[in-house]
Amino acid sequence: MPWLSILMGVSALGALGVAFVKNDKLAKQATLAVSLVVMVLTIVMTVQFSPNGDRFQFAETYDWIPAFGVHYAVAVDGVALVLILLSAILVPIVVLASWHDAEAGKRSVRTYFSLLLVLEAMMIGVFAATDVFLFYVFFEAMLIPMYFMIGSYGGAQRSYAAVKFLLYSLFGGLLMLVAVIALYVIAGKGTFLFPELIGAITDPTTQKWLFLGFFIAFAIKAPLWPFHTWLPDAAAQAPAGAAVLLVGVLDKVGTYGMLRFCLELFPEASKWATPVVIALAVIGIVYGAIVAIGQTDIKRLIAYTSISHFGFIAMGVFAMTQNGAAGSALYMVNHGFATGALFLIAGFLIYRRGSAFISDYGGVQKVAPILAGTFLVAGLSGLSLPGLSPFVSEFMVLLGTYEVYAVPAIIGATGVVLAAIYILWMYQRTMNGPTAESVQGMADLNSRERWVVGPLIALIIVLGFFPKPLLDVINPSVKETIHNVSVTAPASAVAKEGQ
Amino acid sequence: MEPAEILSNPGGVIGVGWLMIALPLLGAAVLLLGGRRTNKFGHYFGVLMVLASFVVAVLAFVQILGFAPGERRRGVSLYEFIPGVADMGLLIDPLSISFALLITGVGALIHIYSIGYMSHDLDRRRFFGYLNLFVAAMLLLVLADNYVALFVGWEGVGLASYLLIGFWQFKPTAATAAKKAFVVNRVGDFGLLIAIFIIFTSFGSVAFGEVFAKAGGASEGTLTAIGLLLLLGACGKSAQLPLQSWLLDAMEGPTPVSALIHAATMVTAGVYLVVRSGAAFFPGDGTASLVVTIVGVATLLAGAIIGTAKDDIKKALAGSTMSQIGYMMLAAGLGPVGYAFAIAHLITHGFFKANLFLGAGSVMHGMNDQVDMRKYGGLRTFMPITFYTFVIGYLAIIGFPLLSGYFTKDGIIETAMEHNAILGWLAVVGAGITGFYMSRVVFMTFFGERRWDEGVKPHESPAVMTWPLILLAIGSAGLGAFLIMGNRFMIFLGPAVGRPDELPAFHAFAPVGLATLALVAVGAGYAWLKYGRQQVPVLAPRGSFLTTFARRDLYGDALNEALFMRPGQWLTRLAVWFDNRGVDGLVNGLAATIGGSSGRLRRIQTGYVRSYALSIFVGAAILAGAWFVVGTL
Amino acid sequence: MTTHYLVLSALLFAIGGIGVLTRRNAIVVFMCVELMLNACNLAFVTFARQHGNIEGQVIAFFVMIVAAAEVVVGLAIIVTIFRTRRSASVDDASLLKH
């Protein structure tokens, strides 16, 4: 079964169909139905994946531009699979959560939902692509629906945020394009297929230049400090659902790219750059957390916490240990659910009060206990409380990093203290204390919103105690990646360097 | 005697030991997810789950007693938690089962008490849900067979503590106290986390059995580092110096919470951690153990001093809790001789401090939630059961002969004295101060003239609250003798934590014990002079410099504020400014530069066809000129 | 011999260029452009004759065709502008300004 093409095809056709539905309500229902179908198909596909089989499964390869060796080649390994699963689960939740988000937009409601499905097709494509050129195409094409979702349906400063997002991403993307073409030319293999390009570039200097081209694009996408300033604007101005997909899935392409492309295609250069990347990651962890503490806007605060979390992910990837890299891959999924829940609940809160400023709230717990309770659980997952899924991944990342780089891991671990401050302080200011006049009579979550939050929180808790199913899928793929990185140099040399 | 081997799962009740954790967890899930539907029966359901868990613990205890001493450590693996790193599993041995009995036993009594205490609270169901959650997490903490699972429980109790301190979250003070407790605990957790990393990298495992077996092969430096980091974690959870500041604020929570979490069980988790890791990382000599004893003594004195100056009955008791845990820490740092005394004192303390807190709660219940002892006085006739049980707890804590504290605390003091005379004498001084501040609490509350507010009608609490008090008082009175006489507890605990080959002999009225008693008597006598015989002013007198020092918690908060909070706020503001102006400013500046220059370039487009034509001509002329020049070269 | 033709061509081109630059009336500007084109044509034809080569003549035909097409489009634009603005001055139609 060409599973991956079916997934993309269903979402893309769904997008086309939704775009022509005249009735808004029908458009929403159709989008929900399509995204649910994609989710079910993805789950069926995941079940059929055999973790200890071939690295890339469900592979399809067709010539696209034979003259330049460009293929339509899709396949998944464990890491890509869990990320596709993440996207497929998040989209229906986001659709349900965005039920009313598009109504105040500049364009029609059905366009918004159609864009959502287009984005879903591309998200699946970008994780599934095993042709570097195809990956690049999806990498850039994803910007288009997101640009319109922010620019046409966002908050007051949406144009500024959307353009900033677009320019930042395009800048990185163009650097990557240069590197992609150079990779094709220098490797001289006449193909863009990823598996054939592993180990194709041997000259260290060339590796470094190409690595930089890829890495900067991914660092902007992820985003890593100091390339992060587009994220708070974009996330704060985007409608909540789009913000979830932006931070939860799109940004993961950056860290996924580091793990997949930077490490495997340019192992020498990756090791050369490790000290710098780890330093940037650690700075990001601490800096993102400290700036988050000082935010006055709920959505910007969550965006800065994500910058801190992306520091963890990048640190784990570049630690290049089994625990670190597998922890990072798991972190990408967990962060998607946890921050997704946080953004969506914050979105519900903001929708009710019409303000994103923390100071406009207070004592919400009294009037809307379910809203407050779910917000707390989502927040606690943001501070990686054990028993909730992000803990497992954060623990693995820190442990995996500690094994080779003790000091960065210890500095990174201070993030757990800072996380407690930014989450609980925000919670206290919004939910605790005497009920503010402006939130008197605020309605609690309605049943649609409970259906949005419930599955996410259930996932967060279940994966917090039973991460094994995901890790069993992730671990073999990561092992392969780590093997490909270390095969060029004795593994002991890497370990020694760290100590 | 070294700790025994961890043997395999023997089946039976131990085989389903996870039920101890699962039952209260189920209770929490039902109460918290069930919503208002469970309002009617929620509190009974919560009590039932803890009682059921207690029954399982008792049965497991009986099963353990059935094994030979060397076969009493049983591992029960449950499932793979993080593949390659940690499994979820239970270690049921004399140490963990002692804790399980304490947690579920005292926990059940406090649950029952809460039915009465919280009867007027609209959110009683949520309260019981949180309490159940706490019990489950605490049991996971003590029953876990590895550091990662322990950490899950460790943070779980932190969460429950956060939720319960902030239970009346509409009070800003409660919300702030809850957050403070969590954040300070996280500082400790940071230490524990790093300790786990070192343990995993050094020994390749986090399971207790494997780690302790391999610990002998590690370097001195590694062991000390692990020990100190574990101690940091323990300090956070057990409110030891320098992470003590959250405990006094935590009294914002409902009184049963203070009794269960901030006196009897959770705050003793640090002692558990030290004793559990003792055989490997705190052998009684070496730097780590020394630091443990120093922290213990410093805290026992600090807590006692704070206790002398507080007028809030719960805060006086909280100071006392700090101080008593200081004793346990001190004992835990003394090596295998001390472990048994530490845990024995922990258990008896669990009883008498829960007794005292619940007694204080009963007083508050009858006094319209007044906590200021200066507004009590003469209550003994109005609430006799509370009075008598409170007095038993009081006598137990000050070490009145033959009551619990006498046995367990004296054991600690004598062991410390043998180990190091300075530590020993400081511990004796602490006991004297204990005699003073506890007597002060009793005299101010139950004796003297009435200083009540208008309209207060003190009354005895209902039976659902007094029965737990009576049961706890019985434990406070007799448990110490039961555990210590004939070294019963030390022998029982031996297989789990190790014990000295030569069991210490119990000296009734040894010189040190007599000195302690004398000092306690002096302290109590001074309290009688000041608060029994003299009239207690309703408004607190200004007091000397020392009084202020103690009232302000030895300036702990001021220190934290000056050292961490203010610089932290400053740093935060700086970082936000830097992010907006620096990083983002750079990007926006670049954009503005490009925008500005293109704005100026735009002026060239005048719209006049003829000027365009002119520029075309000029361009063509330049090109032609250039061509000529190049052509001639 | 051919020099005279070339000088004439250059003169015509210069007159046309000056006309384009200095005149305001769109029609006149237009005629001047035509003049420049024809000056070029003359040069092409001259060179073709000088070198005995037919290609220059062919190019001249192409230029004429382009010029004819240009007249069609250009005049149509000028007429439209005149209709809307009541003026045939090129300076009035400065809509392309920044």
Side-chain angles (χ1 to χ4, degrees):
Chain A
M1 282 271 269
W3 280 109
L4 295 161
S5 296
I6 291 176
L7 292 181
M8 280 186 265
V10 170
S11 349
L13 286 178
L16 203 64
V18 169
F20 288 105
V21 174
K22 284 278 173 262
N23 180 335
D24 279 349
K25 189 157 185 222
L26 194 65
K28 290 174 188 175
Q29 287 163 344
T31 311
L32 185 61
V34 171
S35 60
L36 281 173
V37 167
V38 173
M39 183 179 86
V40 170
L41 287 174
T42 310
I43 291 170
V44 173
M45 177 182 86
T46 309
V47 172
Q48 295 189 354
F49 185 86
S50 57
N52 295 311
D54 290 345
R55 176 174 179 193
F56 287 108
Q57 299 183 19
F58 313 123
E60 296 166 53
T61 307
Y62 305 102
D63 280 345
W64 178 17
I65 312 175
F68 297 108
V70 176
H71 300 82
Y72 169 82
V74 287
V76 286
D77 64 356
V79 177
L81 180 72
V82 292
L83 287 169
I84 289 175
L85 191 63
L86 164 76
S87 324
I89 293 176
L90 273 184
V91 171
I93 290 173
V94 163
V95 170
L96 202 56
S98 324
W99 216 245
H100 301 298
D101 276 5
E103 280 159 15
K106 225 165 57 178
R107 284 164 209 277
S108 70
V109 171
R110 63 173 184 278
T111 313
Y112 182 81
F113 286 92
S114 178
L115 286 172
L116 260 175
L117 287 176
V118 172
L119 190 62
E120 174 166 32
M122 287 172 174
M123 292 188 303
I124 295 169
V126 79
F127 290 124
T130 50
D131 182 290
V132 180
F133 192 83
L134 184 68
F135 173 80
Y136 171 77
V137 170
F138 279 124
F139 185 84
E140 293 285 54
M142 276 192 322
L143 300 178
I144 301 164
M146 187 47 78
Y147 172 78
F148 283 110
M149 284 165 80
I150 300 173
S152 302
Y153 301 91
Q157 296 210 299
R158 56 193 173 202
S159 310
Y160 171 75
V163 169
K164 196 170 178 181
F165 159 74
L166 191 72
L167 286 182
Y168 253 107
S169 304
L170 276 181
F171 173 73
L174 290 176
L175 286 180
M176 186 171 141
L177 178 62
V178 174
V180 166
I181 293 169
L183 174 69
Y184 172 80
V185 174
I186 297 169
K189 297 243 178 176
T191 177
F192 279 103
L193 285 177
F194 168 73
E196 293 184 32
L197 288 171
I198 295 175
I201 305 282
T202 45
D203 176 49
T205 319
T206 319
Q207 271 204 14
K208 284 174 195 168
W209 282 108
L210 297 185
F211 170 84
L212 282 179
F214 277 82
F215 179 77
I216 292 176
F218 295 145
I220 289 174
K221 197 84 172 175
L224 225 55
W225 189 88
F227 305 109
H228 64 274
T229 53
W230 63 269
L231 182 68
D233 287 318
Q237 296 304 323
V244 171
L245 292 182
L246 176 66
V247 179
V249 183
L250 259 63
D251 289 356
K252 302 294 161 31
V253 180
T255 44
Y256 164 80
M258 291 179 200
L259 180 63
R260 166 66 64 77
F261 295 102
C262 286
L263 252 52
E264 290 199 48
L265 292 177
F266 319 111
E268 286 304 304
S270 298
K271 281 172 208 157
W272 162 76
T274 298
V276 177
V277 179
I278 298 257
L280 290 183
V282 170
I283 293 173
I285 292 170
V286 177
Y287 180 90
I290 290 178
V291 177
I293 295 171
Q295 292 305 310
T296 50
D297 175 306
I298 299 175
K299 281 166 111 180
R300 286 184 75 88
L301 192 153
I302 302 173
Y304 275 104
T305 69
S306 292
I307 290 164
S308 182
H309 291 148
F310 279 111
F312 279 107
I313 302 178
M315 187 165 86
V317 168
F318 276 84
M320 298 186 207
T321 55
Q322 178 71 30
N323 280 329
S328 286
L330 184 64
Y331 209 135
M332 294 183 213
V333 179
N334 289 338
H335 178 262
F337 292 136
T339 304
L342 205 51
F343 259 124
L344 290 178
I345 300 169
F348 296 153
L349 188 68
I350 293 166
Y351 181 79
R352 282 166 167 67
R353 171 71 178 75
S355 160
F357 286 107
I358 294 174
S359 52
D360 285 341
Y361 295 87
V364 174
Q365 211 266 355
K366 198 83 186 163
V367 286
I370 299 175
L371 177 75
T374 50
F375 194 57
L376 181 64
V377 176
L380 291 171
S381 68
L383 60 78
S384 299
L385 189 85
L388 303 175
S389 60
F391 164 71
V392 178
S393 38
E394 193 162 307
F395 180 81
M396 287 178 74
V397 164
L398 285 171
L399 181 62
T401 310
Y402 186 88
E403 288 173 58
V404 281
Y405 309 105
V407 175
I410 292 173
I411 301 174
T414 57
V416 302
V417 180
L418 297 172
I421 298 175
Y422 60 65
I423 291 289
L424 295 184
W425 198 33
M426 169 178 73
Y427 184 78
Q428 185 192 344
R429 285 180 289 169
T430 50
M431 300 295 174
N432 288 348
T435 308
E437 213 149 281
S438 51
V439 301
Q440 292 284 5
M442 183 183 274
D444 212 339
L445 294 188
N446 60 32
S447 59
R448 172 180 64 85
E449 292 164 331
R450 283 183 214 182
W451 271 105
V452 169
V453 176
L456 280 177
I457 293 210
L459 272 169
I460 289 170
I461 293 174
V462 169
L463 289 177
F465 282 99
F466 303 97
K468 188 172 149 57
L470 285 184
L471 281 171
D472 280 348
V473 173
I474 290 170
N475 268 327
S477 306
V478 166
K479 202 168 177 184
E480 192 96 5
T481 304
I482 300 293
H483 173 77
N484 282 341
V485 178
S486 54
V487 81
T488 49
S492 59
V494 185
K496 233 176 250 161
E497 219 177 85
Q499 285 159 9
Chain B
M1 201 180 96
E2 290 295 303
E5 288 273 313
I6 296 174
L7 302 178
S8 60
N9 180 358
V13 183
I14 291 179
V16 290
W18 52 269
L19 275 177
M20 277 187 267
I21 302 168
L23 288 168
L25 196 61
L26 174 72
V30 168
L31 295 189
L32 294 179
L33 297 179
R36 288 188 204 96
R37 275 158 290 186
T38 54
N39 268 354
K40 268 207 180 106
F41 62 91
H43 42 291
Y44 296 119
F45 189 70
V47 170
L48 189 72
M49 286 298 116
V50 176
L51 277 177
S53 180
F54 178 63
V55 170
V56 177
V58 169
L59 292 176
F61 176 63
V62 171
Q63 196 184 355
I64 280 193
L65 287 180
F67 298 125
E71 296 170 2
R72 285 180 179 169
R73 304 190 85 187
R74 298 294 181 158
V76 181
S77 57
L78 297 178
Y79 64 90
E80 221 179 336
F81 180 40
I82 307 177
V85 179
D87 291 348
M88 198 52 101
L90 306 182
L91 170 60
I92 298 188
D93 69 355
L95 178 62
S96 62
I97 203 72
S98 306
F99 265 91
L101 287 172
L102 173 75
I103 295 159
T104 51
V106 174
L109 291 178
I110 295 174
H111 271 70
I112 294 168
Y113 175 93
S114 305
I115 295 177
Y117 190 83
M118 300 298 284
S119 57
H120 303 305
D121 200 296
L122 292 174
D123 265 340
R124 180 164 66 169
R125 167 190 54 85
R126 192 160 57 88
F127 182 77
F128 274 87
Y130 291 163
L131 276 188
N132 269 208
L133 178 69
F134 167 76
V135 170
M138 188 72 202
L139 285 168
L140 176 62
L141 193 167
V142 296
L143 291 172
D145 74 343
N146 65 72
Y147 281 103
V148 174
L150 176 144
F151 190 71
V152 175
W154 186 269
E155 292 252 308
V157 294
L159 168 67
S161 162
Y162 168 79
L163 293 170
L164 285 164
I165 296 171
F167 184 72
W168 290 317
Q169 42 74 29
F170 46 86
K171 290 197 296 188
T173 46
T176 307
K179 184 191 69 197
K180 181 176 177 185
F182 196 95
V183 171
V184 174
N185 264 293
R186 272 255 153 161
V187 176
D189 297 348
F190 164 78
L192 181 52
L193 205 55
I194 306 289
I196 296 174
F197 296 155
I198 305 183
I199 286 171
F200 185 79
T201 21
S202 308
F203 309 119
S205 168
V206 290
F208 291 145
E210 217 174 322
V211 171
F212 299 157
K214 288 180 180 168
S219 72
E220 186 65 35
T222 311
L223 292 180
T224 307
I226 295 173
L228 291 177
L229 287 164
L230 288 177
L231 176 64
L232 182 62
C235 283
K237 195 98 328 189
S238 291
Q240 301 291 292
L241 288 172
L243 300 178
Q244 83 294 354
S245 63
W246 62 272
L247 184 63
L248 290 157
D249 294 357
M251 295 300 124
E252 287 288 342
T255 311
V257 172
S258 312
L260 178 61
I261 301 186
H262 305 117
T265 55
M266 184 192 85
V267 283
T268 58
V271 181
Y272 169 79
L273 181 69
V274 171
V275 172
R276 173 58 86 197
S277 319
F281 307 120
F282 303 101
D285 44 13
T287 317
S289 291
L290 179 68
V291 178
V292 171
T293 54
I294 291 171
V295 165
V297 168
T299 312
L300 82 85
L301 287 172
I305 292 168
I306 291 171
T308 57
K310 292 290 175 188
D311 292 330
D312 178 330
I313 186 168
K314 287 179 71 183
K315 293 206 169 170
L317 290 176
S320 156
T321 303
M322 256 176 81
S323 170
Q324 298 301 315
I325 297 169
Y327 277 103
M328 299 170 209
M329 274 293 175
L330 167 64
L334 298 174
V337 202
Y339 298 154
F341 285 118
I343 302 299
H345 192 54
L346 192 158
I347 291 172
T348 54
H349 173 260
F351 275 84
F352 58 65
K353 190 49 70 62
N355 179 3
L356 290 170
F357 261 114
L358 294 188
S362 176
V363 171
M364 287 159 58
H365 198 68
M367 298 290 287
N368 291 359
D369 289 327
Q370 178 61 263
V371 290
D372 189 350
M373 292 192 290
R374 293 187 184 277
K375 305 216 166 145
Y376 292 168
L379 290 174
R380 67 182 181 282
T381 48
F382 293 90
M383 29 186 88
I385 301 177
T386 306
F387 170 64
Y388 286 116
T389 53
F390 197 91
V391 164
I392 292 173
Y394 154 69
L395 292 175
I397 195 175
I398 64 169
F400 192 79
L402 304 182
L403 292 179
S404 284
Y406 170 71
F407 290 97
T408 52
K409 200 199 287 176
D410 256 28
I412 294 173
I413 292 174
E414 278 180 40
T415 318
M417 198 66 88
E418 278 167 33
H419 197 83
N420 180 331
I422 301 174
L423 293 178
W425 282 113
L426 288 173
V428 172
V429 171
I433 306 176
T434 309
F436 171 73
Y437 70 74
M438 282 311 300
S439 310
R440 176 174 173 268
V441 169
V442 171
F443 293 139
M444 284 176 84
T445 307
F446 294 104
F447 294 88
E449 78 286 14
R450 301 163 188 179
R451 303 178 299 273
W452 314 335
D453 278 338
E454 299 239 341
V456 171
K457 293 197 179 62
H459 56 85
E460 184 56 284
S461 300
V464 73
M465 289 168 69
T466 48
W467 271 105
L469 282 175
I470 293 166
L471 291 174
L472 286 169
I474 293 170
S476 311
L479 206 55
F482 175 77
L483 294 175
I484 301 299
M485 295 294 266
N487 286 311
R488 195 176 276 131
F489 194 60
M490 192 173 282
I491 292 167
F492 175 65
L493 218 52
V497 297
R499 63 176 162 86
D501 294 322
E502 208 177 319
L503 290 169
F506 179 74
H507 311 285
F509 304 111
V512 178
L514 285 176
T516 313
L517 274 182
L519 245 131
V520 169
V522 169
Y526 183 58
W528 166 248
L529 286 178
K530 265 203 97 172
Y531 300 98
R533 224 178 51 175
Q534 280 179 27
Q535 204 171 359
V536 180
V538 176
L539 278 177
R542 235 175 117 232
S544 65
F545 163 71
L546 277 175
T547 317
T548 317
F549 184 55
R551 273 191 196 140
R552 302 278 308 269
D553 307 343
L554 316 184
Y555 293 107
D557 282 338
L559 198 71
N560 284 342
E561 202 165 294
L563 278 184
F564 303 107
M565 206 182 101
R566 301 270 166 235
Q569 286 177 335
W570 183 78
L571 185 68
T572 306
R573 252 175 259 139
L574 182 77
V576 171
W577 179 84
F578 176 73
D579 202 59
N580 290 339
R581 295 291 152 78
V583 184
D584 208 24
L586 202 69
V587 175
N588 283 340
L590 193 67
T593 313
I594 294 172
S597 45
S598 68
R600 273 189 288 285
L601 277 175
R602 204 171 57 176
R603 300 270 155 211
I604 297 173
Q605 306 293 323
T606 54
Y608 295 116
V609 175
R610 292 179 304 147
S611 73
Y612 294 160
L614 182 63
S615 60
I616 291 171
F617 272 105
V618 171
I622 291 172
L623 274 181
W627 190 67
F628 272 121
V629 171
V630 173
T632 51
L633 277 178
Chain C
M1 172 67 193
T2 48
T3 319
H4 297 106
Y5 291 106
L6 288 180
V7 170
L8 176 62
S9 160
L11 279 175
L12 286 174
F13 191 85
I15 292 167
I18 290 165
V20 168
L21 291 182
T22 54
R23 301 306 295 261
R24 285 216 183 92
N25 191 309
I27 305 285
V28 179
V29 170
F30 208 68
M31 284 160 67
C32 290
V33 170
E34 292 299 314
L35 197 58
M36 289 164 74
L37 284 172
N38 283 321
C40 292
N41 275 350
L42 184 58
F44 272 121
V45 173
T46 310
F47 281 122
R49 187 179 161 82
Q50 184 183 357
H51 297 295
N53 187 331
I54 197 76
E55 282 164 11
Q57 321 246 12
V58 174
I59 293 285
F61 274 110
F62 277 113
V63 172
M64 280 180 206
I65 290 162
V66 170
E70 188 199 326
V71 168
V72 173
V73 178
L75 276 179
I77 293 173
I78 290 168
V79 168
T80 316
I81 290 176
F82 184 77
R83 273 194 192 143
T84 52
R85 298 192 163 253
R86 293 275 136 214
S87 148
S89 164
V90 288
D91 286 0
D92 285 346
S94 64
L95 288 175
L96 285 173
K97 178 163 72 178
H98 38 265

